[in-house]
Amino acid sequence: MSAATSPGGTPVRGTAGTGRERTARPVGPIRLLSRLLRAGTGPADGASTTARDLSTRRRLLLALTAALTLCLFLSYEGVHGDADPLRTSSAPAVISIDTALYALDRAQAEATAGTPSTSEFQKQISVAAQSLASAAADGIGGSSGRQAVQTAAGLITVYTGMVQQAQLEPDSKVLREAYLSYATSVLKGGDSGIEQRLTQLRDDQRRVVGQQTSFGWALWLGWSLTTLLVLALAAALLETQLFLRRRFRRRYNRHLLAAVALLGGGFVPLVLFTVWTHQGMADTRGLLGRGLSGPDLRAAGQHTASYLADTGFRAAVAVWIVIGGVLLMALAETGLRQHINDYRFRPR
């Protein structure tokens, strides 16, 4: 392989082997990276290694960028991908079931009161039915969950009929108590009762919420690896900038500096978006983890909407991770291509 020359045939100043570089050596990780890139690439018979050094750095930058883009996209989606189902389905379903349970308790209290209020009883039954309809519309628990809701709704109809029949027997205490006893068994009768079925369904949905809001070991590993790749790519870009400065006496390479700015300016907002989304999801899990009743139910929906606000927008940002990765690769390629094209390989 011949010595490196410019397209006009003039030897390039400051190529490897001249021993005339006076620029201070990089320190820390960048110096270590520079040594690793030079390892095993010593000049043969005094030939320049500049072309090979440029190609090595180009391949390294492109490989690191591709790996970072993939890892960052998967890690980001791992957090934000569950935010929208949590906001639109899981959290509202839990609140709907808690509302239905609370309304049924109020209805039972009216049914067994000394002077029951028919209108109040019907009001609470309507609230419970509407809440179950909302839970079904939210897609709670898939097909099995919808079937459980339909079963509970059918049992509520039976329960309502028994209570109404009891209210039609004011003069016969025995019949009234018999109807109320049967209605109570339908509502609270062990594993087959309405309340037990709804409680089990709510607990299942809470587990879904827990899974959607957890930050498990896979996400910790993904974000740790992503951070390491960001640092490695930043170090590689800076080391390449210093390499070009030593070899070609150019103070700055605008494409590489733009890549560094894009890397830092893109990664920091993504981390902040992830922290904000995960915090909102964790607050939602804490809110839904305790039993909701009365005034808590009315405020729970508002709090959940507040905790998960803007999660849809943040989740949509994931597509910009891919676009940013392509831009980084283009900047690295453009920044080095102009120098690589200055070298020509001749057959031995």
Side-chain angles (χ1 to χ4, degrees):
M1 184 183 296
S2 62
T5 61
S6 66
T10 305
V12 178
R13 295 181 59 192
T15 57
T18 61
R20 289 181 294 190
E21 291 87 348
R22 293 293 183 266
T23 306
R25 294 182 178 180
V27 296
I30 297 179
R31 182 176 181 181
L32 176 60
L33 179 61
S34 181
R35 288 180 176 179
L36 292 175
L37 290 173
R38 289 198 302 266
T41 60
D45 300 328
S48 171
T49 63
T50 302
R52 182 163 45 182
D53 291 344
L54 287 171
S55 297
T56 299
R57 283 164 173 80
R58 171 180 169 273
R59 289 192 298 269
L60 176 63
L61 291 177
L62 294 180
L64 284 175
T65 302
L68 172 60
T69 302
L70 177 61
C71 190
L72 179 57
F73 181 82
L74 294 177
S75 300
Y76 191 84
E77 274 291 295
V79 175
H80 296 264
D82 288 327
D84 192 60
L86 175 66
R87 178 178 61 87
T88 60
S89 177
S90 304
V94 172
I95 296 174
S96 294
I97 295 177
D98 276 332
T99 301
L101 286 170
Y102 178 72
L104 289 172
D105 281 340
R106 293 285 303 274
Q108 177 69 2
E110 287 295 333
T112 57
T115 55
S117 171
T118 303
S119 61
E120 183 64 23
F121 174 81
Q122 290 294 343
K123 175 184 175 182
Q124 297 302 327
I125 290 297
S126 296
V127 170
Q130 292 173 2
S131 298
L132 291 183
S134 297
D138 292 330
I140 180 172
S143 59
S144 61
R146 287 192 296 271
Q147 184 177 1
V149 169
Q150 291 172 359
T151 302
L155 291 174
I156 289 177
T157 302
V158 175
Y159 168 77
T160 303
M162 292 298 102
V163 172
Q164 289 175 340
Q165 191 65 38
Q167 292 174 347
L168 293 176
E169 302 290 342
D171 299 330
S172 178
K173 184 177 181 181
V174 175
L175 287 176
R176 181 175 182 275
E177 292 297 329
Y179 282 125
L180 286 178
S181 176
Y182 183 74
T184 302
S185 67
V186 172
L187 181 64
K188 301 178 178 293
D191 294 339
S192 61
I194 299 172
E195 289 188 347
Q196 181 59 33
R197 290 173 184 270
L198 293 181
T199 300
Q200 181 62 48
L201 188 58
R202 181 195 60 190
D203 293 342
D204 291 342
Q205 197 65 17
R206 281 179 177 173
R207 281 191 287 271
V208 173
V209 170
Q211 294 171 358
Q212 291 174 333
T213 58
S214 67
F215 201 91
W217 66 268
L219 285 176
W220 279 112
L221 178 63
W223 278 102
S224 299
L225 181 58
T226 298
T227 303
L228 291 177
L229 286 172
V230 168
L231 295 176
L233 180 57
L237 287 169
L238 293 176
E239 192 281 333
T240 303
Q241 167 65 43
L242 294 176
F243 170 80
L244 295 178
R245 183 175 178 178
R246 291 196 306 270
R247 293 295 175 93
F248 300 98
R249 305 300 185 185
R250 289 190 176 184
R251 190 170 185 180
Y252 299 114
N253 184 296
R254 290 177 296 177
H255 296 90
L256 295 183
L257 293 180
V260 173
L262 177 60
L263 178 64
F267 184 65
V268 172
L270 291 175
V271 171
L272 291 177
F273 285 173
T274 301
V275 170
W276 294 338
T277 295
H278 178 66
Q279 184 60 55
M281 295 170 74
D283 290 341
T284 300
R285 182 181 64 236
L287 174 65
L288 301 180
R290 61 179 187 269
L292 299 175
S293 62
D296 293 340
L297 287 168
R298 289 190 288 271
Q302 298 176 353
H303 291 323
T304 300
S306 175
Y307 295 151
L308 301 177
D310 299 326
T311 53
F313 165 76
R314 296 173 199 152
V317 173
V319 68
W320 286 98
I321 295 176
V322 178
I323 296 175
V326 173
L327 289 177
L328 279 175
M329 297 178 75
L331 289 171
E333 173 70 19
T334 306
L336 292 178
R337 176 55 59 184
Q338 58 184 335
H339 298 294
I340 293 176
N341 289 338
D342 287 342
Y343 289 85
R344 298 293 183 266
F345 291 92
R346 298 177 182 176
R348 291 183 180 274

